[in-house]
Amino acid sequence: MLIKVHGSAVFGIEATTIVVEVNIDKGIGYHLVGLPDNAIKESNYRIAAALQNNGYRIPGKKITINMAPADLRKEGSAYDLTLAIGILAASSQIHSEGIEKYLIMGELSLDGSLLPIKGALPIAIKAKEEGFEGFILPKENANEAAVVDGLKIYGVENIKEVIEFFDSAVPLEQTKVDTRKEYYEHLDFPEFDFADVKGQESIKRCMEIAAAGGHNIILIGPPGAGKTMLAKRLPSILPPMTLHEALETTKIHSVVGKVKNKGLMSQRPFRNPHHTISSAALVGGGSYPRPGEISLSHNGVLFLDELPEFERRVLEVMRQPMEDREVTIARAQFTVTYPSSFMLVASMNPSPGGYFNDPDAPVTSSPAEMQRYLGKISGPLLDRIDIHIEVTPVPFDKLSEDRKGESSMVIRKRVEAAREIQTQRFKMVEGIHYNAQMGTKHIREFCALNNTSKNLLKDAMQRLNLSARAYDRILKVSRTIADLEQTSEVNENHISEAIQYRSLDRDGWLG
């Protein structure tokens, strides 16, 4: 008897429906075809034990299972439940009526209980698009899949429940989530607050500008100056994600299995990878491509602490994704694209010892050592960072003050007002939502300068020997400063402040 059951494979952040055809005939043997990986090939042992422990069995006949399309590689253990139900239906141990209306996925334990799968959200989106009535999956993934309206989501704990649903029409409990209500109820304020930061007013100003325009920023200063502390507080002043952004971000995290027992992600991601990370882990890749840290920080912040400690090769592969805001991973048989629209926040010491040319410093470095250390970061990468700012240690009298600084909530309101101006500005432009995303054409249109501002910028370009890309960055940052002041024109004050934030372009900035 031939039975067709439906599962799904995830490539990139999109799902593809897989038809599992199970044919049982005279003879003996178990043949699984359709480019399955080792985890799927081993599934017959898990399925046999799970069925045995629940009063069923794999029939002693010739079983042929094809996973179509047969030229597409399938991976992972999430097809266990799909294959098990197909075998039971094909061997007439359960009724197969209505089985084709459902998409079925889940990893089996030997006792028949179900373990969570990866990619439940993109699979549910695809199931709705293709007109399936429902999606049967492990209970831990039910809230994640229930974000999709118009598709019945059944979270199950054991294969016995699925068997009784098809064989005896015992109803399964449907998981329902009010997406908007759930999302807005979980918009908690981040735990870190700028009110905890003593002094550092100029750095807070830089952070506010970076958040308002979505600009990349690098903090340079000695150990203990507060670089990491400031970076961790940046998400607290970013505007809350829109529902569309939340859905896109949740899809990426779903693919790597980081959304269990949750619905939509409500907080912007903050990723802080260690400097020993490989290029595949940072950008994405592997034999079965997976999103890297830059995609997991999509719509959020990627914090690279101690930037020169990262391998130069690893940093260089970030250049193209930073520019294009997406990363494409090509393999011989397929290509996947992951979105990677993130804010880069990097921090670094000015020298290997960590201190400036300070005679009182515990560790000093020669100018040659400093230049060698800074040379680990390429010019093209620094060009892609809009704001460079020096962080100096906070003096004791500031540290010991009882007065708290301005809270993140107050700063966020100004950031949101500036972002609203940008939303209105770019509402007719596809793919651009804030100033950092502007291309050359839009910079010319929205950052027009008067003669005084032009002369000021020309003088700075010549004296600091700035590149054309740095010129564009200055204009983008000055546009954001103008937006924070709620002014439509970019004037010389905005330009001069933006020029200050190009520390690493200045000769002798260490001295």
Side-chain angles (χ1 to χ4, degrees), residues 119-126 135 144-145 147-148 246-247 250-251 254 264:
L121 180 54
I123 291 171
I125 292 168
K126 189 67 176 178
F135 181 15
E144 178 188 339
V147 164
V148 180
L247 184 65
T250 308
K251 272 174 80 175
S254 171
L264 278 181

Side-chain angles (χ1 to χ4, degrees), residues 10-26:
V10 178
F11 293 94
I13 56 169
E14 303 300 329
T16 302
T17 299
I18 302 295
V19 181
V20 176
E21 301 171 316
V22 183
N23 187 66
I24 296 183
D25 210 344
K26 290 177 184 175

Side-chain angles (χ1 to χ4, degrees), residues 229-284:
M229 185 187 188
L230 286 155
K232 284 185 175 175
R233 280 155 179 75
L234 181 61
S236 68
I237 62 172
L238 288 171
M241 285 196 287
T242 63
L243 265 172
H244 176 73
E245 285 177 327
L247 184 65
E248 201 173 35
T249 307
T250 308
K251 272 174 80 175
I252 298 167
H253 285 251
S254 171
V255 169
V256 291
K258 293 185 179 288
V259 196
K260 293 171 200 161
N261 290 322
K262 297 180 192 169
L264 278 181
M265 290 176 64
S266 53
Q267 300 294 339
R268 289 187 182 273
F270 180 87
R271 305 294 297 182
N272 183 9
H274 193 258
H275 61 76
T276 54
I277 193 170
S278 68
S279 53
L282 184 67
V283 179

Side-chain angles (χ1 to χ4, degrees), residues 78 105-107 115-120 123 135 137-138 141 144 254 257:
M105 295 289 284
E107 179 185 337
L115 299 173
I117 62 171
K118 295 176 181 177
I123 291 171
F135 181 15
L137 75 168
N141 298 112
E144 178 188 339
S254 171

Side-chain angles (χ1 to χ4, degrees), residues 76-234:
S77 51
Y79 299 98
D80 290 0
L81 184 61
T82 325
L83 297 171
I85 294 300
I87 290 168
L88 290 174
S91 59
S92 301
Q93 293 182 68
I94 63 170
H95 294 300
S96 58
E97 196 176 329
I99 211 165
E100 71 285 345
K101 296 177 186 173
Y102 296 90
L103 202 141
I104 305 167
M105 295 289 284
E107 179 185 337
L108 282 171
S109 289
L110 299 187
D111 63 356
S113 58
L114 290 170
L115 299 173
I117 62 171
K118 295 176 181 177
L121 180 54
I123 291 171
I125 292 168
K126 189 67 176 178
K128 184 194 173 184
E129 280 176 13
E130 300 208 341
F132 284 96
E133 186 178 311
F135 181 15
I136 298 169
L137 75 168
K139 194 155 196 169
E140 282 187 58
N141 298 112
N143 282 348
E144 178 188 339
V147 164
V148 180
D149 293 328
L151 181 71
K152 292 176 182 173
I153 303 297
Y154 299 111
V156 292
E157 293 181 341
N158 195 287
I159 191 173
K160 192 84 173 170
E161 297 173 48
V162 187
I163 291 169
E164 287 173 352
F165 174 66
F166 287 118
D167 201 35
S168 311
V170 176
L172 290 172
E173 186 183 345
Q174 189 179 339
T175 305
K176 291 183 180 177
V177 172
D178 184 336
T179 308
R180 287 180 178 276
K181 185 183 173 191
E182 282 277 317
Y183 175 69
Y184 289 114
E185 274 181 1
H186 290 93
L187 277 178
D188 302 325
F189 199 71
E191 57 177 314
F192 297 113
D193 195 302
F194 270 109
D196 306 327
V197 181
K198 300 289 178 73
Q200 304 290 27
E201 300 307 324
S202 62
I203 319 300
K204 287 184 193 172
R205 166 71 174 169
C206 276
M207 289 287 192
E208 183 179 335
I209 294 166
H215 302 288
N216 300 325
I217 182 170
I218 185 167
L219 310 170
I220 312 125
K227 303 185 295 294
T228 305
M229 185 187 188
L230 286 155
K232 284 185 175 175
R233 280 155 179 75
L234 181 61

